[in-house]
């Protein structure tokens, strides 16, 4: 028999507004039925007079649900928490303690850490230290059977939680929050993590706790920050959810990944977080790169900031893009490049029509410098690649098409991201996905689906051979090439009857046209693409 889920409520800063909170809880329970627990993070007590609290403390009023609260976040409210190990402060209201683990009769495991971060000694009574975080991690993570915890309760947000995720609004997660809590969340892998103090509601997209294709699948984490009770903006301060304790769940069910799962926001900052240090910004190339116009003023240089490079009295010297070891057909500075096929040039990348394309508007996204694959690109080149992808999706969508993108990093020297438009009327995205998977199975190619927000750099190492497909929905299919791989596989699938129904065009050499025809197609593409061109000057 399946375990019945527990029904829980989580609340942000109460700040002494006990009647407002508990009246709201009563209303919710009257409408939706009873909940098992109420978990409060942030400031439970406020700076208001104690009249309301005295009624609960003396038993005149009673919380309508078993309520667990965290401790003080400032000196003013320390007086309410007499026992550092936790105690009942009023009927149905329990202070959990400074730090520890609460395990319910159902097996639900809740880890709690009261207070705000302090790196100074002695640690104030309303704060936690690196030693507190370290002891919690050691206590829980040292057992070989440890997989994670059900719930983590902290008052401050974890620093960096917004990385790779949806917008956190006005809260800058690279500056606000606690790096120590980032470290704690990294180690404990909670299924739910609740925090407060920032007076706003933020439900981050769930993030994964494993590296795709390198580690066994693990459950995802949901971080939810809650606003303060009774806030005038009516931001959400109560969160209702159901949960089956991890220890009672089927393993396969536990590790199911939500469709909107993202990368772990602390992956690059966990080590720094454990010492309370700010994570360094990702390494990037010099911002002062240059590119050329594709118009009659060809040769005029513009800086990547959009300003004329002469405007600065101390112009930076641009870092040269990586150079090929020999002749390359795709390095823009190379004499081998067929420049009549180039249709758009950015700061770090350019677009060119594919030679022998599957259609007249089959294009390639190529780095200007010599990079062999996506996993070798610098951060700023990746950023421009993503901008080109998004722009091409909009461009093709305006013409009644969706685009399919693939890369084959095998027997190729320069990165080529193939972008092939498919008429919306010919087939759906799921049909394209099924066609790739079916043909891969027929050729005994293991084509794995990887999450939409995953980063290829976390799956494949530089130098590794691979093939990957990206659909217009953001879904990705990945194959790690170990031995031989059919060089035309991507084209063959797209040219098949299931998609474009042009099987005779699966070999690019049979699709070549004259240079005059290529020039005509390139001119037409440039003109059509011009309204979408993000590389043009604003002035």
């Amino acid at each position: 028999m399946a375990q019945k889920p527990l029904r829980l409520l989580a609340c942000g800063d109460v700040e002494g507004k006990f009647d407002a909170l508990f009246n709201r809880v009563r209303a919710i329970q009257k409408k939706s039925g009873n909940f098992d627990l109420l978990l409060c993070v942030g400031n439970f007590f406020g700076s208001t007079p104690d009249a309301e609290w005295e009624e609960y403390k003396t038993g005149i009023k009673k919380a309508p649900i078993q309520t667990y609260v965290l401790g003080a976040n400032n000196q003013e409210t320390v007086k309410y928490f007499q026992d550092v190990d936790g105690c009942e402060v009023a009927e149905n209201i329990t202070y959990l303690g400074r730090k520890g683990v609460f395990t319910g009769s159902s097996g639900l495991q809740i880890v709690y850490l009261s207070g705000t971060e302090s790196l100074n000694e002695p640690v104030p009574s309303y704060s936690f230290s690196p030693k507190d975080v370290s002891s919690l991690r050691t206590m829980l993570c040292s057992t070989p059977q440890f997989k994670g915890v059900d719930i983590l309760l902290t008052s401050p947000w974890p620093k960096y939680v917004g990385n790779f995720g949806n917008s956190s609004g006005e809260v800058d997660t690279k500056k606000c929050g606690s790096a120590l809590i980032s470290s704690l969340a990294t180690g404990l892998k909670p299924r739910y993590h609740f925090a407060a103090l920032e007076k706003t509601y933020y439900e981050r997209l769930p993030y994964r706790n494993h590296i795709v294709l390198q580690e066994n699948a693990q459950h995802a984490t949901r971080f939810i920050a809650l606003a303060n009770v009774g806030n005038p903006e009516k931001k959400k301060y109560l969160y209702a959810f159901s949960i089956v304790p991890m220890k009672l769940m089927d393993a396969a069910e536990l590790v199911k990944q939500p469709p909107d799962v993202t990368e772990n926001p602390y992956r690059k900052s966990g080590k720094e977080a454990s010492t309370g240090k700010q994570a360094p910004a990702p390494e990037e190339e010099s911002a002062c790169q240059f590119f050329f116009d594709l118009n009659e003023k060809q040769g005029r240089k513009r800086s990547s900031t959009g300003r004329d490079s002469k405007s600065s009295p101390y112009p930076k010297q641009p870092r040269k893009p990586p150079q090929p070891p020999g002749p390359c057909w795709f390095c823009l500075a190379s004499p081998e490049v067929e420049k009549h096929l180039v249709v758009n040039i950015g700061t770090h990348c350019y677009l060119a029509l594919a030679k022998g394309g599957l259609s007249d508007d089959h294009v390639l996204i190529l780095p200007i410098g010599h990079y062999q694959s996506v996993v070798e690109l610098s951060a700023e080149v990746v950023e421009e690649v993503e901008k080109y992808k998004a722009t091409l999706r909009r461009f093709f969508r305006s013409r009644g098409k969706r685009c399919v993108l693939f890369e084959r990093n095998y027997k190729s020297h320069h990165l080529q991201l193939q972008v092939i438009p498919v008429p919306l009327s010919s087939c759906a995205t799921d049909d394209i996905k099924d066609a790739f998977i079916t043909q891969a199975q027929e050729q005994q190619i293991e084509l794995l689906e990887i999450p939409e927000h995953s980063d290829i750099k976390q799956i494949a190492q530089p130098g590794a051979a691979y093939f990957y497909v990206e659909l217009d929905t953001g879904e990705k299919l990945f194959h790690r090439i170990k031995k031989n791989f059919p060089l035309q596989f991507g084209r063959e699938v797209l040219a098949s009857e299931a998609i474009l129904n042009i099987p005779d065009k699966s070999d690019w050499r049979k699709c070549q046209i004259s240079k005059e025809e290529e020039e005509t197609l390139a001119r037409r593409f440039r003109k059509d693409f011009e309204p979408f061109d993000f590389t043009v000057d604003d002035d």
Side-chain angles (χ1 to χ4, degrees), residues 157-225:
W157 291 27
K159 193 174 263 190
Y160 322 117
V161 71
N163 289 354
F164 312 125
N166 48 316
S167 172
S168 53
E170 64 271 24
V171 179
D172 184 348
T173 60
K174 292 181 180 178
K175 296 179 181 178
C176 296
S178 164
L180 290 175
I181 289 177
S182 303
S183 168
L184 186 63
T186 302
L188 297 189
K189 304 172 189 173
R191 294 165 65 200
Y192 284 88
H193 180 182
F194 294 97
L197 297 185
E198 299 295 340
K199 300 188 182 301
T200 192
Y201 169 70
Y202 172 50
E203 183 170 0
R204 190 202 185 281
L205 289 172
Y207 64 83
R208 65 176 66 89
N209 286 292
H210 64 278
I211 300 176
V212 178
L213 301 183
Q214 293 187 27
E215 297 174 338
N216 292 332
Q218 298 179 49
H219 59 272
T221 293
R222 298 177 186 273
F223 172 78
I224 296 117

Side-chain angles (χ1 to χ4, degrees), residues 119-185:
L119 303 178
N120 301 319
E121 293 289 349
V123 179
S125 55
Y126 53 85
S127 296
F128 57 84
S129 68
K131 289 180 182 178
D132 292 319
V133 170
S134 178
S135 66
L136 266 179
R137 288 189 59 158
T138 302
M139 176 175 62
L140 287 156
C141 305
S142 56
T143 59
Q145 296 83 16
F146 178 76
K147 295 180 180 178
V149 300
D150 290 305
I151 298 171
L152 173 61
L153 304 178
T154 64
S155 287
W157 291 27
K159 193 174 263 190
Y160 322 117
V161 71
N163 289 354
F164 312 125
N166 48 316
S167 172
S168 53
E170 64 271 24
V171 179
D172 184 348
T173 60
K174 292 181 180 178
K175 296 179 181 178
C176 296
S178 164
L180 290 175
I181 289 177
S182 303
S183 168
L184 186 63

Side-chain angles (χ1 to χ4, degrees), residues 320-376:
K320 291 184 178 180
Q323 299 300 305
C328 178
W329 288 96
F330 299 104
C331 285
L332 192 55
S334 170
E336 284 81 14
V337 171
E338 296 193 54
K339 292 190 170 55
H340 67 282
L341 292 173
V342 176
V343 293
N344 190 267
I345 303 177
T347 310
H348 310 288
C349 306
Y350 71 99
L351 292 183
L353 288 184
K355 197 165 186 68
L358 279 168
S359 62
D360 291 349
D361 44 8
H362 175 175
V363 293
L364 309 178
I365 304 174
L366 303 126
I368 291 172
H370 189 77
Y371 296 91
Q372 184 171 337
S373 69
V374 162
V375 300
E376 295 180 2

Side-chain angles (χ1 to χ4, degrees), residues 72-79 124-126:
N73 296 299
N74 51 59
Q75 186 61 52
E76 186 180 4
T77 56
V78 169
K79 62 184 179 182
S125 55
Y126 53 85

Side-chain angles (χ1 to χ4, degrees), residues 226-487:
L226 294 161
N228 48 313
V229 172
N231 65 86
E233 298 87 3
K234 296 187 178 180
K235 295 178 181 178
K236 190 170 182 176
Y237 64 82
L238 262 181
Y239 184 91
F241 64 110
S242 298
I243 186 171
V244 174
M246 183 185 297
K247 63 183 296 183
L248 301 178
M249 288 188 68
D250 174 73
E253 186 68 25
L254 177 64
V255 302
K256 273 187 179 178
Q257 301 294 293
D260 54 353
V261 70
T262 77
E263 294 303 325
N264 190 311
Y266 320 120
R267 183 69 65 181
K268 296 179 182 178
S269 58
K271 186 179 291 186
E272 292 84 354
S274 66
T275 59
K277 295 179 181 178
Q278 169 74 38
E283 186 176 335
E284 294 185 356
E285 293 183 8
S286 166
C288 192
Q289 299 264 338
F290 296 94
F291 54 92
F292 290 89
D293 281 331
L294 273 175
N295 55 29
E296 59 276 359
K297 298 179 182 178
Q298 189 158 344
R300 181 173 65 88
K301 292 185 178 182
R302 308 194 309 267
S303 73
S304 60
T305 61
R307 296 187 296 269
D308 195 299
S309 58
K310 293 180 181 178
S311 63
S312 170
Y314 304 106
K316 295 180 182 178
Q317 291 299 314
R319 178 181 294 182
K320 291 184 178 180
Q323 299 300 305
C328 178
W329 288 96
F330 299 104
C331 285
L332 192 55
S334 170
E336 284 81 14
V337 171
E338 296 193 54
K339 292 190 170 55
H340 67 282
L341 292 173
V342 176
V343 293
N344 190 267
I345 303 177
T347 310
H348 310 288
C349 306
Y350 71 99
L351 292 183
L353 288 184
K355 197 165 186 68
L358 279 168
S359 62
D360 291 349
D361 44 8
H362 175 175
V363 293
L364 309 178
I365 304 174
L366 303 126
I368 291 172
H370 189 77
Y371 296 91
Q372 184 171 337
S373 69
V374 162
V375 300
E376 295 180 2
L377 297 179
S378 67
E380 56 188 1
V381 182
V382 169
E383 183 179 353
E384 190 164 278
V385 166
E386 293 301 322
K387 190 177 289 188
Y388 265 121
K389 285 185 193 176
T391 303
L392 286 169
R393 288 191 188 105
R394 290 196 301 273
F395 169 66
F396 286 125
R397 182 67 63 163
S398 74
R399 304 174 72 80
K401 301 176 183 180
R402 59 170 51 88
C403 59
V404 180
L405 182 147
F406 71 82
E407 177 196 1
R408 186 198 78 232
N409 183 33
Y410 174 69
K411 294 189 177 179
S412 59
H413 300 292
H414 190 110
L415 166 62
Q416 304 161 52
L417 290 175
Q418 309 269 345
V419 184
I420 299 91
V422 177
L424 292 171
S425 57
S426 66
C427 58
T429 301
D430 284 346
D431 297 328
I432 298 172
K433 179 178 171 182
D434 290 344
F436 270 100
I437 292 173
T438 300
Q439 291 206 35
Q441 290 173 342
E442 290 175 358
Q443 299 188 47
Q444 297 184 319
I445 296 170
E446 187 182 23
L447 201 56
L448 302 173
E449 185 172 355
I450 60 176
E452 176 184 345
H453 299 280
S454 60
D455 186 348
I456 297 295
K457 288 189 174 187
Q458 292 189 311
I459 300 170
Q461 300 298 318
Y466 63 85
F467 172 85
Y468 96 93
V469 184
E470 185 172 333
L471 305 175
D472 61 326
T473 57
E475 295 172 280
K476 298 172 186 172
L477 303 172
F478 179 88
H479 170 65
R480 192 185 304 280
I481 300 172
K482 296 176 181 177
K483 292 184 180 179
N484 295 323
F485 183 80
L487 297 183

